[in-house]
Amino acid sequence: MKIGVLALQGAFREHKQMLERLGAEAVEVRKPEHLAGLQGLIVPGGESTTIGKLAREYGIDAAVARRVEAGDLAVWGTCAGAIWLAREIPHYPEQPRLGLMDIAVERNAFGRQVASFEEDLEVKGLDKPFHAVFIRAPAITRVGPGVEVLAYHGKDVVLARQGRLLASSFHPELTGDFRLHRLFLDLANNLVTS
């Protein structure tokens, strides 16, 4: 299995290492042509405005949108990547984004860097809690009718799925727990159904 990690900015190396440890071929994506042959793409945490601007400038956003709409690419956005996937970003209507997932994502919903925290989450489909790392984390404040909520932190949605799109507010790549990366590989391989 060949999975890309958007490597324009942010924590892409940790995702790449987790994918490789699961046996996937991990490819750093910096140009539209790097998407060729990929079954999935992970968009890492980082600075969401920068990721959006660079993805637009290099034409990656349009190339990803075409592949997603054709049904042949799964995409997982973690933290800033979840913001990039969102259809709506309250208070930042002009921020560049892919906008393909029917969610609204509030930037820095849990506070600034100094308010970072870790929390055990109950995740739908997992047999035991997932230890999640939240850093300047966004919250999913609205989900559309086709979006499945997979985890909450209190009343806030922090993990959701829409078809082959996955969005998480937290950084699973900073843990030793491979279960969400394995879930994404299953999504990319069309092994997860609604």
Side-chain angles (χ1 to χ4, degrees), residues 9-192:
Q9 192 266 344
F12 59 88
R13 284 181 186 87
E14 292 84 354
H15 280 293
K16 189 176 175 195
Q17 289 166 354
M18 290 193 91
L19 290 168
E20 289 167 345
R21 288 177 68 186
L22 286 170
E25 180 183 349
V27 177
E28 293 181 12
V29 173
R30 292 186 177 90
K31 298 177 182 178
E33 53 266 31
H34 296 160
L35 296 168
L38 299 182
Q39 291 170 273
L41 176 69
I42 296 176
V43 183
E47 211 298 304
S48 61
T49 305
T50 301
I51 290 170
K53 284 180 179 177
L54 291 173
R56 181 174 286 171
E57 182 178 330
Y58 299 148
I60 294 169
D61 56 355
V64 169
R66 282 193 298 274
R67 294 280 311 275
V68 169
E69 288 165 357
D72 69 346
L73 185 71
V75 181
W76 179 14
T78 64
C79 198
I83 297 168
W84 188 65
L85 275 179
R87 189 165 292 165
E88 181 185 346
I89 308 169
H91 314 297
Y92 297 91
E94 302 304 317
Q95 180 170 329
R97 74 201 76 173
L98 190 62
L100 291 181
M101 194 164 175
D102 191 10
I103 57 176
V105 178
E106 181 81 35
R107 292 174 41 166
N108 299 323
F110 297 104
R112 297 193 155 301
Q113 190 91 10
V114 295
S116 299
F117 64 97
E118 299 181 21
E119 177 89 17
D120 286 340
L121 302 175
E122 295 294 330
V123 176
K124 185 176 179 181
L126 298 185
D127 59 343
K128 59 183 182 180
F130 187 93
H131 190 73
V133 178
F134 291 83
I135 302 170
R136 287 179 51 208
I140 301 168
T141 57
R142 180 192 62 76
V143 295
V147 178
E148 178 185 16
V149 175
L150 300 178
Y152 291 91
H153 168 69
K155 294 181 180 179
D156 295 305
V157 176
V158 294
L159 179 63
R161 179 173 77 95
Q162 179 182 331
R164 295 177 76 208
L165 302 176
L166 190 64
S168 58
S169 298
F170 51 93
H171 291 265
E173 76 281 6
L174 298 180
T175 72
D177 192 332
F178 293 88
R179 290 178 294 163
L180 291 183
H181 283 80
R182 194 170 288 117
L183 169 69
F184 182 67
L185 290 179
D186 288 347
L187 273 179
N189 208 22
N190 281 314
L191 296 176
V192 176

